[in-house]
Amino acid sequence: LRSLAGLMRAVSTGLRELGVDIIACGVNLIEQKAEQWQVRIYTYWKNSRSKSMQVSLGRINAETPVLVKMWQDGSVVYRPDLDAEDRFGESLWINQSDEYQIRAVIDVPFVYGTLALSSQTPKAFSAKDIAVAERMAAMLSEGFSRREDLQKLENEIAECQRSEQEHLRRNEALELLATGASLKVVLDAVTTGIETVYPVLRATILLLRGTCLYNGSSPSMPISYVEAIEGMKIVEGVGIFGTAVHTRQRVIFDDVAVHPDWAKLPTLAGRAELRACWSEPIISSLGEVLGVFAVYCEEPRSPLAAETKQIRSAAYLAGIAIQVHAEKEETKVSLAIQQVRNEALQMEDEADWRKVSAVLNTQLATLVDFYLCGINNIDRPKNTYQSQDVTPPKAGKVVLNGSLP
């Protein structure tokens, strides 16, 4: 707004130096928003006072407002004396203040709206003044276009910097995974990565075990929130997580305070002062749902295109981490069981055999837990596997769960 104030101050000064009799000059910036004609009015007065306001002119599919017609027609519209002829019914609106009594008004269209000049003198603007105003409007068109180009360039630079950050954070998580870091550490790198790139967002990873969700990573979420959601049973249509798991698709609640599905859950996000939640299911290469990658925002809105892309990428990376970790754990358990089997082949004493059998049952329990929970080393529930007594072998043959090793 300050840059616009400086621009209009320069325009006003230039017009007066060229002999144009004005009490005020301003710009009416016209745009379409949510099927409405919107105009941002910025006026700079002779006494260095400025005024800014935004006005809705009506629906786009309704009758076109007068100001929009002036802009679309592209021709100068001069009202030489509002007291003598107020053909647009604007006198009362323009002269809301008793400080100045506006008599003559001129609107000169340019690319983004109109340049408006006002005078207290009837018939103040000559043909020469109008020509000067047209040249000034042409300069405004060029200036605003350059400003738009600069804004686009700034956005492109910001996007490049954001992409570079995303790339660095993704590589950091992959490096942790490759060097054998725990699943918790890798998942924390994924969530903190998206929060670093987009500081207005908070990320969390929830892991699916059976029909319940458990915390995988929530570095910036309140402890009360993490505790409340731990072990939450997923139900289709209840909250954003159950819907994401059941539909296997991204689910967006742009305002959890009013969304009917969220109302069925405790007001968790409200306690954390979060308004929007976007949930992406984490799906394995085999098509299994491993969990949910959820992102929260303090303001009610839908995700931007760049945010959606990053959320999808982060969920994919989390899925890779969970799968790689699962494969490593499966290999560990399989090797441990094979080792016990090999040792069992050498056992002849019944007491020794029962000792080995107990170790084997522990390994089997770990394996069962692993398949039930989908992950390891993140607050796993207690073993549900029931220990089985294995009969000592005879004649050197080992039988484990009814099969030969």
Side-chain angles (χ1 to χ4, degrees), residues 127-391:
K128 179 183 175 182
D129 294 335
I130 294 174
V132 170
E134 287 179 312
R135 289 199 299 271
M136 193 65 73
M139 293 174 61
L140 283 175
S141 290
E142 183 177 355
F144 273 90
S145 296
R146 288 184 179 182
R147 184 169 178 265
E148 189 176 68
D149 291 340
L150 286 174
Q151 186 63 54
K152 287 180 180 179
L153 180 60
E154 290 177 1
N155 292 341
E156 289 175 3
I157 292 173
E159 182 59 33
C160 287
Q161 292 174 336
R162 187 162 47 241
S163 296
E164 183 178 359
Q165 275 192 314
E166 291 173 1
H167 182 71
L168 290 173
R169 293 294 175 176
R170 183 166 55 250
N171 284 350
E172 179 184 336
L174 289 173
E175 184 177 349
L176 288 169
L177 184 61
T179 54
S182 69
L183 181 58
K184 179 69 165 61
V185 171
V186 178
L187 295 184
D188 280 347
V190 176
T191 50
T192 56
I194 197 170
E195 291 176 351
T196 301
V197 178
Y198 298 96
V200 298
L201 304 181
R202 291 197 232 174
T204 181
I205 294 175
L206 302 174
L207 301 162
L208 180 63
R209 303 172 188 168
T211 59
C212 296
L213 291 170
Y214 296 86
N215 178 53
S217 175
S218 302
S220 62
M221 299 299 290
I223 295 177
S224 58
Y225 182 93
V226 176
E227 291 176 345
I229 212 161
E230 185 74 4
M232 176 180 289
K233 187 175 180 63
I234 58 167
V235 180
E236 186 175 7
V238 176
I240 195 168
F241 312 125
T243 305
V245 169
H246 280 277
T247 63
R248 305 164 67 88
Q249 295 179 350
R250 182 184 310 117
V251 181
I252 296 173
F253 287 4
D254 54 13
D255 190 350
V256 298
V258 298
H259 199 287
D261 285 353
W262 193 273
K264 298 176 184 177
L265 291 173
T267 56
L268 301 177
R271 297 172 192 166
E273 297 183 352
L274 302 172
R275 290 293 299 275
C277 183
W278 319 318
S279 180
E280 183 85 17
I282 302 173
I283 301 177
S284 73
S285 59
L286 300 177
E288 300 171 339
V289 179
L290 303 176
V292 174
F293 188 91
V295 175
Y296 296 88
C297 184
E298 294 180 358
E299 59 177 319
R301 66 176 177 87
S302 296
L304 304 174
E307 293 169 336
T308 299
K309 180 181 177 182
Q310 177 66 0
I311 292 168
R312 183 171 59 246
S313 175
Y316 178 73
L317 183 56
I320 292 175
I322 295 170
Q323 282 190 270
V324 169
H325 185 80
E327 290 169 0
K328 287 181 179 179
E329 292 300 311
E330 183 179 4
T331 300
K332 287 180 183 178
V333 173
S334 297
L335 289 175
I337 291 176
Q338 185 59 48
Q339 181 181 353
V340 173
R341 283 179 167 179
N342 292 338
E343 292 176 359
L345 288 173
Q346 310 302 322
M347 295 292 137
E348 294 184 359
D349 183 82
E350 182 173 338
D352 289 340
W353 168 253
R354 291 190 180 280
K355 181 179 179 181
V356 172
S357 175
V359 174
L360 179 58
N361 278 320
T362 299
Q363 299 292 346
L364 287 173
T366 301
L367 183 59
V368 169
D369 267 357
F370 169 75
Y371 280 115
L372 286 177
C373 301
I375 67 159
N376 193 25
N377 292 337
I378 297 187
D379 302 328
R380 197 174 54 218
K382 294 182 178 180
N383 295 339
T384 55
Y385 176 78
Q386 298 298 317
S387 175
Q388 299 180 16
D389 185 25
V390 182
T391 304

